[in-house]
Amino acid sequence: MLKKLALAAIAAGALAAVRRRSGGKGEADLWHEATSGPGAVSTPTR
């Protein structure tokens, strides 16, 4: 029983890590699309 719980926890952690990584990439793609090209929104200056 304990092995099944440990395996489920490892699988959930791996799935969460993959989702976090792919979610960040999608957000970066959206940011690039919004800030480049002729219809780009203005970007803040630092």
Side-chain angles (χ1 to χ4, degrees), residues 2-46:
L2 190 57
K3 283 185 179 182
K4 287 184 180 181
L5 287 175
L7 184 60
I10 291 170
L15 182 62
V18 168
R19 281 188 169 186
R20 250 194 322 267
R21 193 180 326 166
S22 65
K25 186 179 188 312
E27 188 175 323
D29 289 344
L30 287 174
W31 178 255
H32 177 72
E33 183 179 334
T35 57
S36 62
V41 296
S42 61
T43 56
T45 56
R46 291 186 181 188

